[in-house]
Amino acid sequence: MQANTIQEVIEALDAIIRQCEMRDSRQAYFAVLYKGMTEAVRDAIVAGQFEDAARMERLDVLFANRYLDAWQQYGQQHTPSRSWQAAFEACNDDALIVLQHLILGINTHINLDLAIAAALTAPGDTVFALQRDFDKINDIIAALTDDMQSKLQRIWWPMRLIRRVMRGRDKAVIEFSIVKARQAAWANSVALAQLPEPAVADYIDQMDSTVTYIAGNIARPKGWVSYIIRFVRWWEPKEVGRVIGLLK
């Protein structure tokens, strides 16, 4: 499954969402979120918000193909990257809440795929000219936080009360996580773009190990967070199809 344009990426994501709906698969949760991100990037390109629109479309397509390939490999019982394997396997665990599934996808896609896609888009020293557009694509992702949270409120209504108590601090935590992930992804992009070819595979393998470790902490948090997750899960809809509809 390979896309050549952003429109083809959106069509591929639509196909994944339809298949997941038919299978009652929680893999649709991240696919729905990612489609929204892709549409936001497309709209920003059309609006001229990037320094180099053609380069940004190449980056976005390379970025998306990392996910599309991983999803297809997993569905065909092949082995994707370890971190995508962990994210997809977690979709079989009905103890996880919707937010965990979304963050598992974001974790792998930003912390692993984005760095690789950026290095491929701008190899060598050309990577430094990419930084402003690289930051912009992450700003777009962070800007979707409010929309995601409003949808989560429809899935789990007590979230409204928690947001009032937190007074926006929950949003700050999500955006801070994205910012930290962006910083790490940029550093890895620069490293990958500068490394000699024989060293690239080992570097990516190390990145994948780190991201897989983070995925384990997301799927199995410790302490008081684990008790909150149990409470949230009790309130969330149990029907996968209903959650998919609420996220759209």
Side-chain angles (χ1 to χ4, degrees):
M1 182 183 295
Q2 284 280 313
N4 297 303
T5 65
I6 290 182
Q7 185 56 39
E8 289 181 3
V9 170
I10 293 170
E11 291 169 2
L13 291 170
D14 278 333
I16 288 174
I17 293 166
R18 285 195 300 270
Q19 290 184 52
C20 290
E21 284 179 312
M22 290 188 292
R23 300 171 185 169
D24 278 339
S25 172
R26 296 179 184 89
Q27 292 174 23
Y29 299 168
F30 177 71
V32 171
L33 174 64
Y34 189 37
K35 181 187 174 186
M37 291 178 180
T38 304
E39 290 173 335
V41 171
R42 176 202 61 196
D43 294 345
I45 290 174
V46 172
Q49 294 181 24
F50 294 107
E51 291 183 348
D52 188 329
R55 182 182 61 192
M56 181 49 58
E57 177 153 9
R58 289 197 304 274
L59 171 57
D60 194 68
V61 171
L62 285 168
F63 186 33
N65 278 332
R66 294 278 310 174
Y67 166 71
L68 298 176
D69 287 345
W71 187 84
Q72 186 173 48
Q73 288 167 0
Y74 182 78
Q76 295 176 346
Q77 298 185 330
H78 298 156
T79 304
S81 64
R82 293 189 297 277
S83 48
W84 271 124
Q85 180 84 13
F88 293 139
E89 288 291 337
C91 293
N92 300 319
D93 187 349
D94 62 6
L96 271 64
I97 65 173
V98 175
L99 183 59
Q100 284 174 286
H101 291 298
L102 297 177
I103 294 176
L104 281 165
I106 292 171
N107 169 54
T108 300
H109 209 34
I110 292 182
N111 286 329
L112 179 69
D113 293 344
L114 184 58
I116 296 171
L120 290 172
T121 302
D125 291 340
T126 63
V127 71
F128 296 106
L130 179 64
Q131 186 168 10
R132 288 184 65 180
D133 280 351
F134 181 95
D135 289 344
K136 182 66 178 178
I137 198 171
N138 281 277
D139 289 341
I140 290 171
I141 292 172
L144 293 173
T145 299
D146 279 339
D147 181 58
M148 181 181 74
Q149 289 187 338
S150 67
K151 289 175 179 177
L152 289 174
Q153 286 179 188
R154 296 204 302 267
I155 294 168
W156 183 59
W157 66 265
M159 179 73 78
R160 299 174 188 175
L161 300 177
I162 289 181
R163 288 190 71 186
R164 290 176 186 172
V165 172
M166 294 291 286
R167 294 181 181 176
R169 282 177 288 177
D170 54 337
K171 176 183 175 184
V173 168
I174 293 173
E175 290 184 342
F176 178 76
S177 298
I178 291 174
V179 169
K180 298 296 286 185
R182 175 177 70 188
Q183 292 170 348
W186 176 248
N188 285 324
S189 299
V190 172
L192 285 170
Q194 301 286 313
L195 280 174
E197 186 61 35
V200 169
D202 286 341
Y203 193 94
I204 291 175
D205 186 66
Q206 292 174 11
M207 289 170 56
D208 192 25
S209 294
T210 300
V211 177
T212 304
Y213 175 78
I214 295 171
N217 290 334
I218 295 168
R220 294 177 295 278
K222 299 177 181 179
W224 62 269
V225 175
S226 64
Y227 294 102
I228 291 179
I229 285 174
R230 291 178 196 172
F231 177 68
V232 172
R233 186 67 188 113
W234 189 83
W235 281 96
E236 281 187 343
K238 303 301 184 288
E239 304 86 357
V240 173
R242 184 180 172 199
V243 174
I244 294 171
L246 291 167
L247 283 174
K248 285 184 175 179

